[in-house]
Amino acid sequence: MNLLFPNGEAEVKELSADAYKHLAINEIIEQIAVTEEDQQIVSKVFKKLPSDVETTIFRQEILSDFLENEQLCTELESIIGKLNVLKEFTLHSRYGVQKKSSIWDLINYMEEMEIYTQIIDDLNTAFANNKVNSKGLLHIAGLLKEIIDEDRIEELKEIIKGLRTDMSTLKSVNLGVNLTPDLYPEEVIVLGYGIAPFSSKLTKTAWGLSITQGARVTYKEPSQFMKYIGDDVEKYLAKSIKQNKRDLMEYINLKGYFLLDICEDLKYYLLMARYARKLIKENYTISMPKINEASREVHLKGVYNIRLAAKKEENIVKNDFTFSDKEKLFILTGPNRGGKTMITQAIGLNVLFAKLGLYVTADEYSGYLFDAVFTHFPADENETLDYGRLGEEAVRVQQIVKNASAKTLVLLNETYSSTSAADGIYMATDLIHVLKHKSVPMIFNTHLHELAYKIDEMNQWDGSSDVVSITMEIVDNVNTFRVLRKIPEKNSYAKNVALKYGVTYEQMIE
């Protein structure tokens, strides 16, 4: 069982390494999770996109339960700590599996069972005290009620209590130590066992199990000496623990151990819910997508890039965006540092989050789910040694076109910027042509404004969807970060940038 796929892990689509990098997923995950272990849990989920809408809705419902019930999250976070300890116990040889289990194996297994019963009790209490509505969490709550009876939890607690009482009767070991002529210990002899601790006027020193400070491991490895006296200890306690020991051996295959399989799933939802509450507390808008697979459109209202929230940006400018049958290919132009890349990433991230069953950073997401997100951003120089920059760009474009469909989102950021403007326009035109032919939703973020001037020509090509020119607004040489439906003005951006930095001919001649 798991909490990410309602019917066991189903078919998924891998998020490409390029999309993971270009959408700055690592940067976002570092905001969501602090420890490397937690970051890996989130990253693993982000890289696998569910192929069916049922899975996405299943996840949405679970996350909504956590978002609406902070107390449940607090209780589950505490229980996850105990589940991690239980997992550590199970990594060692289980009591009763070995041909001859020692008294120390019994003690460890007894402590494992103590933690197990605490987890079952705590989870039952958590679900009893906090209302949940999702199929996933309701299923777990139902299983826990069955487990109390099927695993005979109350009987198990009584057996553990009896063992604890019986073993506590042994309080001390009477030892004799033989010394060498140099006064070094040579032999240790067990002289007997006692039901009371020793007291003496002689100097005493602590001698116990040492665990590294801060370590989480609870499973205890006995010292060589304790292993040596183990048989004697068991014989000493044999009469009192014999029946409880036999009873405990029946509890080897317990139904509730399925919880170990969903421990990471629970942690993932708790991390995402905690970050959502953080965003809300800091007055950033989030919403749960309204999925409608019968729709032929995707509407994003008031969308913004989650990276801006991580940077603590205030007064974030939001934009609306719609993909429809009629309009799904967009050429995005605008000034440098005008927000083109941020809005391109924002659309991709919100599409990805919706697919994963997460909240989006928008006032509203409604419509169908995209199957995948493909990205083409400029490559680092050291990644282009085999083909050269233009060759590398062409190879990646070819792969994107091959795999793209009418329900995959393609994000192009300055594609073909590594060649001359004339060559770039020629190659980009062909790329837009084939994407239009395949009806692939696209945002082409580019400085090649001539592409936008060719839109009337492009819309004569085959393909049901039109190509639309959008641009980042600039007013009085100030970037507003608003997206407008318009053709870019020729040379306006370069002139504004030149004026801003004082590098026009008139400014420099002075």
Side-chain angles (χ1 to χ4, degrees):
M1 176 186 176
N2 63 61
L3 285 177
L4 294 173
F5 298 91
N7 302 310
E9 186 158 342
E11 183 182 349
V12 296
K13 288 191 176 181
E14 296 281 344
L15 182 68
S16 72
D18 277 348
Y20 191 91
K21 175 183 176 183
H22 298 153
L23 296 178
I25 300 297
N26 260 345
E27 177 187 317
I28 295 164
I29 289 175
E30 285 172 1
Q31 295 295 318
I32 294 169
V34 176
T35 70
E36 185 176 344
E37 180 182 354
D38 287 349
Q39 288 170 8
Q40 288 173 355
I41 289 172
V42 178
S43 177
K44 189 161 56 176
V45 179
F46 274 37
K47 288 178 179 178
K48 294 184 177 182
L49 308 184
S51 297
D52 59 294
V53 67
E54 179 189 4
T55 296
T56 299
I57 293 172
F58 175 79
R59 295 182 183 186
Q60 276 190 349
E61 291 174 351
I62 294 173
L63 184 57
S64 295
D65 272 341
F66 285 135
L67 284 173
E68 293 165 10
N69 201 326
E70 189 171 359
Q71 181 59 35
L72 175 62
C73 292
T74 301
E75 292 175 26
L76 287 177
E77 283 174 355
S78 173
I79 292 167
I80 281 176
K82 294 176 184 176
L83 280 169
N84 285 327
V85 173
L86 184 64
K87 187 179 292 186
E88 288 167 0
F89 273 107
T90 62
L91 295 175
H92 298 266
S93 297
R94 302 293 299 280
Y95 180 72
V97 174
Q98 305 173 80
K99 289 183 179 178
K100 188 178 189 311
S101 298
S102 71
I103 184 69
W104 314 117
D105 295 321
L106 173 63
I107 291 170
N108 274 310
Y109 192 60
M110 178 187 68
E111 293 184 351
E112 180 182 340
M113 290 297 95
E114 279 183 315
I115 295 168
Y116 176 77
T117 56
Q118 287 172 16
I119 289 169
I120 300 300
D121 281 346
D122 290 351
L123 274 172
N124 268 293
T125 301
F127 284 116
N129 293 341
N130 300 282
K131 182 176 174 57
V132 295
N133 299 300
S134 62
K135 292 177 183 176
L137 295 186
L138 285 171
H139 182 55
I140 291 175
L143 284 176
L144 287 167
K145 290 178 181 177
E146 295 175 10
I147 286 167
I148 287 187
D149 292 329
E150 293 184 24
D151 284 356
R152 296 175 293 160
I153 296 298
E154 293 306 316
E155 292 178 29
L156 181 53
K157 287 194 282 189
E158 286 302 312
I159 294 168
I160 293 167
K161 183 179 178 182
L163 275 169
R164 279 285 182 204
T165 301
D166 294 341
M167 286 190 291
S168 67
T169 60
L170 179 58
K171 299 291 187 183
S172 59
V173 180
N174 191 3
L175 303 176
V177 181
N178 292 326
L179 305 176
T180 67
D182 297 325
L183 300 182
Y184 281 97
E186 185 175 42
E187 293 176 315
V188 178
I189 302 169
V190 177
L191 302 177
Y193 299 93
I195 59 173
F198 287 107
S199 61
S200 171
K201 294 181 180 179
L202 298 175
T203 302
K204 291 188 291 186
T205 183
W207 182 44
L209 182 71
S210 175
I211 298 179
T212 305
Q213 189 173 5
R216 200 173 61 188
V217 177
T218 308
Y219 187 92
K220 299 180 181 67
E221 287 288 351
S223 66
Q224 284 300 114
F225 174 73
M226 299 307 285
K227 286 180 181 178
Y228 167 69
I229 67 169
D231 288 343
D232 283 343
V233 170
E234 189 163 1
K235 287 175 185 176
Y236 179 87
L237 295 171
K239 290 181 181 179
S240 57
I241 70 168
K242 188 174 182 180
Q243 184 58 49
N244 283 330
K245 177 181 174 182
R246 188 182 301 119
D247 292 341
L248 190 62
M249 287 179 66
E250 295 180 15
Y251 292 85
I252 298 297
N253 298 309
L254 298 174
K255 190 174 180 180
Y257 273 82
F258 83 90
L259 293 167
L260 296 181
D261 298 328
I262 64 168
C263 186
E264 284 193 0
D265 299 348
L266 284 170
K267 190 64 180 288
Y268 165 75
Y269 286 110
L270 290 170
L271 289 166
M272 298 310 302
R274 182 194 300 165
Y275 192 63
R277 276 191 286 273
K278 180 176 183 290
L279 291 174
I280 294 168
K281 185 177 180 180
E282 294 173 355
N283 296 316
Y284 294 108
T285 302
I286 64 170
S287 62
M288 197 61 78
K290 301 172 184 175
I291 301 171
N292 179 5
E293 284 297 282
S295 172
R296 302 177 71 86
E297 298 185 345
V298 172
H299 298 280
L300 282 159
K301 295 183 179 179
V303 65
Y304 66 96
N305 195 321
I306 195 172
R307 295 177 63 209
L308 296 174
K311 297 176 186 294
K312 308 294 184 185
E313 295 285 348
E314 298 180 358
N315 303 316
I316 295 175
V317 176
K318 300 178 181 180
N319 285 284
D320 296 344
F321 220 93
T322 296
F323 294 94
S324 66
D325 273 351
K326 182 62 178 172
E327 296 180 345
K328 63 168 65 172
L329 297 99
F330 298 89
I331 296 175
L332 172 61
T333 54
N336 290 333
R337 304 187 66 81
K340 297 194 301 295
T341 299
M342 272 293 177
I343 190 63
T344 303
Q345 278 185 335
I347 302 299
L349 286 167
N350 278 274
V351 163
L352 175 65
F353 273 42
K355 183 68 172 174
L356 290 168
L358 296 171
Y359 43 81
V360 293
T361 52
D363 296 331
E364 181 182 318
Y365 178 113
S366 60
Y368 65 83
L369 296 172
F370 288 93
D371 291 337
V373 180
F374 298 119
T375 61
H376 188 284
F377 283 40
D380 296 333
E381 289 289 346
N382 59 1
E383 295 176 351
T384 63
L385 297 178
D386 292 337
Y387 299 101
R389 285 196 65 186
L390 182 58
E392 185 277 337
E393 283 192 283
V395 169
R396 286 195 290 138
V397 163
Q398 189 179 51
Q399 284 299 113
I400 289 173
V401 171
K402 178 181 177 182
N403 293 297
S405 73
K407 286 195 71 175
T408 58
L409 176 62
V410 173
L411 303 176
L412 307 167
N413 186 22
E414 302 293 4
T415 299
Y416 295 135
S417 61
S418 60
T419 187
S420 67
D423 289 346
I425 291 167
Y426 174 82
M427 298 175 77
T429 300
D430 275 355
L431 173 55
I432 295 169
H433 195 167
V434 71
L435 293 177
K436 187 175 188 297
H437 174 77
K438 296 182 71 173
S439 294
V440 176
M442 171 205 79
I443 299 176
F444 196 145
N445 165 5
T446 181
H447 70 285
L448 299 172
H449 299 167
E450 288 82 354
L451 289 172
Y453 307 147
K454 299 176 69 174
I455 279 181
D456 288 341
E457 173 192 335
M458 292 176 180
N459 286 333
Q460 300 304 311
W461 296 337
D462 56 332
S464 59
S465 298
D466 284 347
V467 181
V468 179
S469 174
I470 55 176
T471 188
M472 304 303 299
E473 183 184 50
I474 185 168
V475 176
D476 297 330
N477 203 34
V478 176
N479 297 324
T480 68
F481 305 109
R482 291 177 58 226
V483 178
L484 303 179
R485 290 173 60 102
K486 61 178 289 189
I487 301 291
E489 297 176 16
K490 293 184 178 180
N491 301 322
S492 62
Y493 300 138
K495 181 178 179 181
N496 285 331
V497 171
L499 284 167
K500 179 178 180 179
Y501 291 103
V503 290
T504 64
Y505 172 80
E506 292 78 11
Q507 287 171 318
M508 291 189 291
I509 201 69
E510 292 177 1

